[in-house]
Amino acid sequence: MDGAPPPSKPTARLLRATGVLLSCFTALLGLLYFILAGALLGAFLLWPRTRGRAHALLASGARRLTAIERARRSVFFRDRFPEHHASDQRVLRYLAARTYAGLLCGVVVGLLVFGVVLAGLLAAGVARSTLTWQELLTQVVLGGVLLFLDVQGLNSLAALDARLARECFGPSERELLERRIQELAASRAAVVRAVDAERRRVERDLHDGVQQRLVALAMLLGRARRGKTPEQSDALLEQAHRESREVLTELREVAWRVYPSALDNLGLQEALGGVRERCGIPMRIEYDVPEPLPAAIETAAYFVVSEAVTNAAKHASAADIFVSVKGHGTYLAVLVRDSGVGGADPAGSGLTGLHSRVAALDGRLDVHSPSGGPTTITAELPCA
Amino acid sequence: MLAEDSTLLREGLIRLLAEEGHEVLAGVGDAVSLLREVEARTPDVVVTDIRMPPTHTDEGLRAAVEIRERWPGVGVLVLSQHVERNYAAQLLTPNAERVGYLLKDRVAQVDEFLDSLERIHAGGAAIDPEIVRQLVIRTTHTDPLSRLTPRERTVIEALAQGHTNAAIAQKLHISLSAVEKNLNTIFDKLDLSRTTGYSRRVLAVLRYLES
């Protein structure tokens, strides 16, 4: 992750322009290097016995120049390249292509300057009224077309510069694939872990909640049957009846925690309403999703909200919670903010499970919970 | 003395035992306090759940094993969530006196639960019929138990649950002498030495649990 904040738009543009201008000068360096190295090493490069050494020398010099280019791309264009070493062949090829593109860029910039000077002369001519309006029109049309071509050339060369840098410094196709495979393997393992954690929680819910209550209920009934007096038996039956209602409530709660059936029947918005009813803290929901969502995305969004809300109610002692679910076409943004004490642990089992769930859909989950609050959990889930 | 982490169930059990005229010395919610209380008051019988805080795995069982080692005179009744043969074996191996292993749901059958408590208090054993049944189902044909007739099986099941001969006779509606005859055949078939009294019965039960 890059620690520095991204610069504002105008600053970034200025940086990029400086980078482009610099690229013209570094291209001159490259040209000089090739001429000098060619003059000094040319003969050795042709002679088979010394070719290897000469080639290595040539490449090591090229590597230094390439490092300058790399720094230029990082500073002015905010490119981020992984640490990896390109082959000698690749470095030389890059430097050659880049030098050529840079020189061409210099020419195009020169033409631009030349055009500006001409435009200045034209303006002076208009001011001194030595021009007929036909001449003026011809010059303006011609100048406009040339300016357009020039700017196009600059744009293309800037793009070429970026592409060359990416090809040399950036990860290769194979590395990208390997990285993706690693990501997938990690997220797959995490999903399995998350599923197991869920199951453990369900088992715990059933065992520590529902089953204990049922045993207690059966015990009450047993005691009622053994009651010494009718009054005592009646009182115990009454208690058992109350207990049976509580068992049912508990069972409903557990079933809902396992999977909210409202999600399938009524959709995400209704299910979130269910979360609000259950959470016991004032909760405001902003829901703005124009298109119907894929089921997997709905489920993930639901669990992000319900887990975050549960945490806020349980650990953060929050006074109120704000939930926003917004569709942005290609992705769904989910945000949960509570006014609690903060200090949520992203490595806790609940949040880790959420991470896995979101990562499995190629989404992102961020937890921002400074000590003292507020806690903000944001998730972006791709819908495409 | 009771150890059970669910408050609801603990209170219910305390009431039930009090109604039946037992005195509950203490009700605790975890294994550490259980051991502390046992040390302080030495109860007649301890009833403990297996799964208790902090890890909710087998704290209660480990406490029970420890109690049996340190205070052999204290009866121990363990309540288990599922049939865990390994747990039962751990609990019953040194000897099967003053010890019980019941499925937790069994406390709902109040009569059976109280009966088990009484048996343990009297120096006997109480093993859940369900556990015994599963063990019988699991026995393979290489096992001496497989040589038992169905009638002998029901007798040893009852025996394993900790019943006396008289109680077995009553339970299976056969005469006392028939029970004794059955038992002798069983002891022969299981190659149990002609030791007398309780230990032989216990050995038969252990054959079960180890088979």
Side-chain angles (χ1 to χ4, degrees):
Chain A
M1 294 304 261
D2 199 326
S8 61
K9 272 219 166 97
T11 324
R13 209 168 288 148
L14 194 67
L15 273 174
R16 276 206 299 274
T18 319
V20 171
L21 284 178
L22 257 182
S23 76
C24 310
F25 291 106
T26 52
L28 283 177
L29 280 180
L31 181 65
L32 275 174
Y33 176 73
F34 278 121
I35 290 170
L36 278 174
L40 290 172
L41 296 171
F44 298 107
L45 279 169
L46 293 174
W47 197 22
R49 279 186 62 180
T50 53
R51 183 181 296 159
R53 287 287 311 273
H55 194 274
L57 265 173
L58 184 70
S60 74
R63 230 173 245 289
R64 291 209 173 84
L65 285 174
T66 308
I68 296 176
E69 296 295 346
R70 185 177 163 138
R72 177 178 64 83
R73 291 295 314 176
S74 316
V75 172
F76 295 99
F77 297 87
R78 305 190 57 77
D79 283 356
R80 284 202 294 265
F81 301 115
E83 283 304 319
H84 88 140
H85 290 285
S87 64
D88 285 359
Q89 205 59 34
R90 202 192 241 191
V91 167
L92 282 170
R93 231 190 358 246
Y94 167 73
L95 196 64
R98 147 95 274 281
T99 301
Y100 172 70
L103 291 173
L104 205 56
C105 190
V107 172
V108 173
V109 171
L111 281 175
L112 189 63
V113 173
F114 185 64
V116 170
V117 170
L118 281 183
L121 289 176
L122 195 66
V126 171
R128 289 204 299 275
S129 50
T130 51
L131 278 174
T132 63
W133 64 269
Q134 285 108 328
E135 280 173 332
L136 179 65
L137 193 65
T138 317
Q139 292 293 341
V140 167
V141 169
L142 208 61
V145 170
L146 287 174
L147 178 70
F148 169 76
L149 288 175
D150 202 87
V151 169
Q152 275 302 331
L154 262 184
N155 270 336
S156 309
L157 284 166
L160 177 67
D161 185 48
R163 208 186 67 217
L164 287 172
R166 205 169 42 239
E167 278 170 6
C168 178
F169 307 124
S172 66
E173 205 60 22
R174 184 197 163 92
E175 280 168 351
L176 282 173
L177 276 175
E178 277 173 0
R179 199 178 305 169
R180 180 70 184 142
I181 288 169
Q182 273 171 1
E183 264 173 30
L184 288 175
S187 75
R188 191 182 60 171
V191 167
V192 172
R193 270 201 306 277
V195 167
D196 284 346
E198 287 281 293
R199 288 191 170 183
R200 213 170 290 128
R201 201 193 59 178
V202 171
E203 195 268 348
R204 180 73 55 85
D205 271 355
L206 286 173
H207 166 265
D208 292 350
V210 179
Q211 189 171 12
Q212 309 286 14
R213 281 190 180 278
L214 278 171
V215 171
L217 169 67
M219 211 162 60
L220 278 171
L221 291 170
R223 281 167 60 199
R225 285 179 59 194
R226 292 168 68 95
K228 308 279 187 296
T229 62
E231 291 81 25
Q232 193 190 13
S233 295
D234 275 349
L236 285 167
L237 272 178
E238 164 99 28
Q239 219 179 322
H241 188 211
R242 244 199 334 267
E243 187 58 43
S244 71
R245 287 201 299 269
E246 293 196 2
V247 173
L248 281 174
T249 313
E250 177 109 21
L251 189 58
R252 246 201 320 275
E253 291 284 327
V254 170
W256 179 272
R257 278 200 296 269
V258 173
Y259 190 84
S261 48
L263 208 50
D264 291 344
N265 316 334
L266 307 167
L268 180 58
Q269 196 168 2
E270 287 297 321
L272 291 180
V275 173
R276 178 168 50 197
E277 281 160 32
R278 283 177 159 68
C279 92
I281 299 175
M283 177 170 151
R284 201 157 57 83
I285 302 183
E286 268 185 17
Y287 187 87
D288 175 20
V289 183
E291 293 113 41
L293 295 166
I297 301 292
E298 276 202 337
T299 313
Y302 170 84
F303 278 106
V304 167
V305 173
S306 91
E307 182 72 31
V309 167
T310 306
N311 284 346
K314 224 196 294 193
H315 308 299
S317 47
D320 55 33
I321 302 177
F322 169 68
V323 174
S324 138
V325 180
K326 282 200 169 71
H328 291 279
T330 54
Y331 70 96
L332 181 77
V334 180
L335 178 143
V336 183
R337 186 183 303 124
D338 70 62
S339 60
V341 294
D345 176 17
S349 69
L351 287 174
T352 314
L354 276 193
H355 252 295
S356 315
R357 199 184 266 279
V358 172
L361 297 166
D362 279 333
R364 281 187 35 216
L365 182 86
D366 288 312
V367 178
H368 182 74
S369 184
S371 191
T375 300
T376 310
I377 293 179
T378 47
E380 284 178 10
L381 300 158
C383 301
Chain B
M1 184 169 297
L2 272 176
E4 159 63 56
D5 56 320
S6 155
T7 322
L8 188 78
L9 209 53
R10 192 167 65 224
E11 292 308 315
L13 277 169
I14 290 175
R15 289 251 171 74
L16 167 70
L17 292 169
E19 276 167 21
E20 295 299 327
H22 297 286
E23 187 197 351
V24 180
L25 294 177
V28 295
D30 64 89
V32 178
S33 348
L34 172 67
L35 289 171
R36 201 181 47 230
E37 290 289 336
V38 171
E39 188 157 37
R41 309 182 187 210
T42 324
D44 294 331
V45 181
V46 167
V47 178
T48 176
D49 185 10
I50 287 192
R51 268 171 69 149
M52 282 194 289
T55 65
H56 289 274
T57 50
D58 60 349
E59 285 83 354
L61 181 81
R62 276 184 281 133
V65 170
E66 190 174 333
I67 290 169
R68 297 201 62 206
E69 279 171 13
R70 289 172 58 186
W71 300 281
V74 175
V76 174
L77 172 55
V78 170
L79 301 177
S80 172
Q81 199 58 43
H82 311 284
V83 173
E84 287 287 356
R85 181 170 150 174
N86 169 346
Y87 286 173
Q90 272 188 63
L91 195 68
L92 301 164
T93 19
N95 61 40
E97 286 171 20
R98 290 202 180 76
V99 63
Y101 183 96
L102 292 185
L103 279 182
K104 198 164 187 175
D105 308 358
R106 202 62 59 185
V107 300
Q109 285 151 351
V110 177
D111 299 348
E112 277 189 49
F113 172 65
L114 293 168
D115 185 42
S116 304
L117 263 184
E118 293 291 346
R119 280 214 304 276
I120 292 167
H121 182 51
I127 297 167
D128 198 285
E130 180 59 28
I131 293 171
V132 174
R133 221 190 61 221
Q134 293 217 9
L135 291 171
V136 172
I137 290 167
R138 282 186 208 165
T139 49
T140 58
H141 45 264
T142 55
D143 180 43
L145 287 174
S146 59
R147 298 206 302 269
L148 303 181
T149 62
R151 161 64 73 204
E152 287 160 355
R153 264 171 192 270
T154 49
V155 170
I156 197 168
E157 263 180 61
L159 173 78
Q161 285 165 33
H163 290 288
T164 59
N165 289 6
I168 296 172
Q170 204 184 346
K171 204 173 146 93
L172 303 179
H173 311 296
I174 50 177
S175 70
L176 190 57
S177 62
V179 173
E180 281 163 1
K181 205 168 87 209
N182 267 309
L183 280 178
N184 283 330
T185 338
I186 290 168
F187 292 148
D188 284 345
K189 283 185 178 174
L190 296 184
D191 306 323
L192 289 172
S193 56
R194 290 266 169 199
T195 44
T196 48
Y198 212 81
S199 58
R200 188 167 51 168
R201 301 171 72 96
V202 169
L203 285 172
V205 171
L206 290 180
R207 273 292 148 89
Y208 245 139
L209 296 174
E210 286 162 0
S211 61

